[in-house]
Amino acid sequence: GAGVSQSPRYKVAKRGQDVALRCDPISGHVSLFWYQQALGQGPEFLTYFQNEAQLDKSGLPSDRFFAERPEGSVSTLKIQRTQQEDSAVYLCATQQGSSGNTIYFGEGSWLTVV
Amino acid sequence: AQRVTQPEKLLSVFKGAPVELKCNYSYSGSPELFWYVQYSRQRLQLLLRHISRESIKGFTADLNKGETSFHLKKPFAQEEDSAMYYCALSHISNFGNEKLTFGTGTRLTIIP
């Protein structure tokens, strides 16, 4: 595809449920980021992959959050035992190479925990 | 620690009037700053970056290190400028990767 693709676009989860959010990057993009955007806030960094290696997970809010990119392409963000405070838009972004190049964002996955 | 502040959550401007969206930052290193825009029902996209020193869609932004500001300006607003605007600061993390720190955004509405 032409851009970063995310699925599902909308997810409603019951508190305590596990969710998985998928990101298909732009082909050939080495760097992949996950950001969390709460209502009324700007995006906040969660984690970074360079190919399959998760080099920075400093932004993950708790050990309920887990991300992977096993083959250096598609990435999955998993949230276990969801809580209401997890309700947010989860943005995936990718970048050709490393720093200095334009970062392209997906449309986001809107998660609502009820 | 780095911080980006956008003091206005909402800004309404008449068509044809000048626009200024404010952004202030706090960063101990040499900053690299960006403006991102999100039009209705579209994804977040890069509008401009300070190192390019270019004008995109009539918008410009000048980095003022003395005032730690990176305000976005356009002399004559157009209806299609209505959108959410985010100021962002790029820095390299302790792990060597680029990270963006965003402000809370300003929703710009152009009144016809």
Side-chain angles (χ1 to χ4, degrees):
Chain A
V4 180
S5 178
Q6 292 188 244
S7 62
R9 291 293 318 283
Y10 304 94
K11 175 70 179 178
V12 178
K14 290 185 178 178
R15 193 169 51 185
Q17 206 173 11
D18 296 349
V19 300
L21 308 175
R22 177 187 168 107
C23 173
D24 283 83
I26 295 171
S27 178
H29 278 200
V30 167
S31 296
L32 185 145
F33 309 82
W34 284 98
Y35 282 80
Q36 179 191 56
Q37 186 173 17
L39 192 64
Q41 302 297 315
E44 292 191 1
F45 173 85
L46 292 177
T47 189
Y48 166 76
F49 288 87
Q50 184 179 84
N51 295 307
E52 70 279 2
Q54 188 176 18
L55 298 184
D56 185 351
K57 47 185 179 181
S58 61
L60 295 176
S62 78
D63 58 8
R64 296 186 296 104
F65 286 71
F66 172 76
E68 59 183 8
R69 194 185 186 197
E71 297 177 0
S73 180
V74 170
S75 177
T76 304
L77 177 66
K78 298 179 180 178
I79 309 172
Q80 297 176 324
R81 305 181 304 281
T82 52
Q83 304 294 315
Q84 281 193 313
E85 61 264 26
D86 300 335
S87 295
V89 178
Y90 290 86
L91 297 170
C92 178
T94 69
Q95 182 183 44
Q96 187 175 31
S98 57
S99 61
N101 296 312
T102 300
I103 294 174
Y104 295 91
F105 283 83
E107 292 178 294
S109 290
W110 293 65
L111 173 64
T112 302
V113 181
V114 297
Chain B
Q2 49 287 332
R3 185 177 178 88
V4 176
T5 303
Q6 293 180 252
E8 304 140 327
K9 274 207 169 299
L10 303 170
L11 182 64
S12 295
V13 173
F14 284 101
K15 179 182 173 182
V19 176
E20 183 178 48
L21 285 80
K22 291 184 168 51
C23 172
N24 288 88
Y25 67 90
S26 172
Y27 183 55
S28 56
S30 185
E32 186 171 353
L33 286 147
F34 303 81
W35 277 98
Y36 280 80
V37 61
Q38 188 167 26
Y39 300 103
S40 180
R41 297 188 180 85
Q42 293 187 29
R43 66 190 65 202
L44 195 61
Q45 58 186 281
L46 178 66
L47 179 63
L48 57 78
R49 63 178 73 194
H50 90 269
I51 57 172
S52 300
R53 301 186 66 81
E54 57 191 345
S55 173
I56 305 292
K57 300 185 179 183
F59 285 99
T60 59
D62 290 320
L63 178 62
N64 186 324
K65 291 186 178 180
E67 296 183 356
T68 60
S69 68
F70 187 58
H71 303 327
L72 184 68
K73 299 178 184 179
K74 183 169 182 176
F76 307 104
Q78 297 173 288
E79 287 186 63
E80 55 265 34
D81 296 332
S82 292
M84 194 75 180
Y85 291 80
Y86 293 95
C87 183
L89 182 150
S90 172
H91 57 102
I92 302 300
S93 79
N94 293 336
F95 305 93
N97 56 282
E98 182 171 359
K99 287 174 73 169
L100 293 172
T101 298
F102 287 86
T104 51
T106 298
R107 181 168 298 282
L108 176 66
T109 301
I110 306 303
I111 305 166

